[in-house]
Amino acid sequence: MTTKVAKKPANKAATTARTRTKPAAKAAAKPQNRSTGKSGPKKTAGLELQPARIEELLRRLGSAYPNAECALHHRNPWELLIATILSAQCTDARVNMVTPELFRKFPTPQAFAQASLPAIEEEIRSTGFYHNKAKSISGAAKKVVSDFGGRVPQTMQELLTLPGVARKTGNVVLGVAFGKAEGVVVDTHVLRLSHRLGLTRAEDPKRVEEDLMHVLPRDRWIAFSHEMIHHGRQICVARKPKCIDCPLETICNAADKTWSSH
Ligand code: SF4
């Protein structure tokens, strides 16, 4: 699952203007490009969990991505569940291309439950891993119909009984469809950024989620993951993060920053 944002980071222009003026001024005294490793010691990303820093981090993320929301098109919790299953190893844009026809052919959990696997596979082939995804969707539909009266359950415990649903999908459905913060969505962006920002050292997504749940106030769990996903897509990309444009730069000590003001 990834999310979309209605606008660019609110303070991007201001931040860019600020940061772009700094390299020249600081060039003589400070290391500027950590990716080269040629100037100055390389900082390591240890845990940085001071409450004031976390508060500032959340403030800046919220300010930069005030309208962050789920980018998977859906009209109800069931469609969100299916779209999230389809989004594994696939872009949201591709999923959004597939789901209109998919939901036209199979408009309800009952319709999915009665559909053959090849019929589902045919519709979702372009999202990749379609054999497994079709099995998950078919299994989830049958379980939702047989055990939950055709309605998507609203607890993590129940969601995890559905084929193809792990905590990430459960958190997406609970947070986006029901507004329930039972955990933090940890996708590849949240995982990478949480390391860079010193919020966890864990590698396993479940452990990362536990660390984030411990560090973040519960009322920010849902928005935090949306904001981090946007930031990971737009600025803090996997290779060569755009640190010079980053509103978090002055409070980030990631080892692989491409530019630093401190
Ligand atoms: S300063 Fe660079 S590494 Fe740190 S959060 Fe921003 S883009 Fe990512």
Side-chain angles (χ1 to χ4, degrees):
M1 196 284 296
T2 53
T3 56
K4 71 178 180 184
V5 71
K7 56 192 281 191
K8 290 272 187 184
N11 60 348
K12 181 173 184 295
T15 305
T16 301
R18 169 175 57 79
T19 53
R20 284 197 192 287
T21 62
K22 286 188 175 179
K26 290 178 174 273
K30 295 280 185 179
Q32 294 302 307
N33 188 338
R34 291 182 180 171
S35 66
T36 67
K38 288 180 179 173
S39 55
K42 195 173 181 179
K43 290 185 182 179
T44 54
L47 287 178
E48 300 175 88
L49 306 177
Q50 305 88 337
R53 178 178 182 272
I54 300 296
E55 195 176 319
E56 179 62 12
L57 177 66
L58 294 175
R59 189 192 68 73
R60 294 191 193 188
L61 277 173
S63 172
Y65 306 101
N67 301 308
E69 59 184 23
C70 180
L72 293 168
H73 297 169
H74 61 281
R75 295 170 295 185
N76 53 54
W78 169 252
E79 290 188 357
L80 177 62
L81 174 62
I82 299 308
T84 308
I85 290 173
L86 290 175
S87 72
Q89 307 293 315
C90 181
T91 64
D92 290 351
R94 167 58 57 184
V95 172
N96 288 338
M97 290 170 66
V98 163
T99 47
E101 181 64 10
L102 179 68
F103 295 142
R104 192 190 68 75
K105 283 198 172 168
F106 310 111
T108 62
Q110 289 81 358
F112 274 104
Q114 291 166 6
S116 69
L117 282 179
I120 298 174
E121 289 174 356
E122 182 64 25
E123 295 302 322
I124 66 171
R125 185 181 298 263
S126 66
T127 68
F129 303 96
Y130 59 94
H131 289 306
N132 283 340
K133 289 179 181 177
K135 275 186 201 157
S136 295
I137 291 170
S138 176
K142 287 171 180 162
K143 186 91 175 169
V144 163
V145 170
S146 64
D147 291 14
F148 300 105
R151 305 181 81 86
V152 175
Q154 297 192 30
T155 68
M156 181 63 82
Q157 192 178 11
E158 291 172 321
L159 280 166
L160 292 178
T161 67
L162 303 179
V165 175
R167 281 197 66 89
K168 189 185 87 169
T169 299
N171 278 323
V172 171
V173 171
L174 290 172
V176 175
F178 300 121
K180 290 188 173 184
E182 285 202 26
V184 180
V185 174
V186 177
D187 77 341
T188 182
H189 298 293
V190 175
L191 186 67
R192 181 179 71 255
L193 270 64
S194 294
H195 276 259
R196 282 177 170 163
L197 291 165
L199 302 179
T200 182
R201 286 197 185 100
E203 296 290 344
D204 173 54
K206 189 166 183 299
R207 290 280 314 282
V208 172
E209 184 187 354
E210 288 169 2
D211 286 348
L212 293 176
M213 289 166 71
H214 183 70
V215 164
L216 304 171
R218 188 166 191 155
D219 63 1
R220 289 292 267 110
W221 287 358
I222 296 173
F224 172 80
S225 56
H226 290 319
E227 293 158 4
M228 290 277 271
I229 290 167
H230 286 307
H231 195 55
R233 283 180 144 187
Q234 297 179 16
I235 303 288
C236 194
V237 294
R239 289 187 184 183
K240 296 185 181 175
K242 302 168 186 171
C243 304
I244 199 166
D245 291 332
C246 178
L248 310 179
E249 193 279 322
T250 57
I251 55 171
C252 175
N253 293 306
D256 57 347
K257 282 173 76 173
T258 54
W259 184 82
S260 181
S261 66
H262 58 285

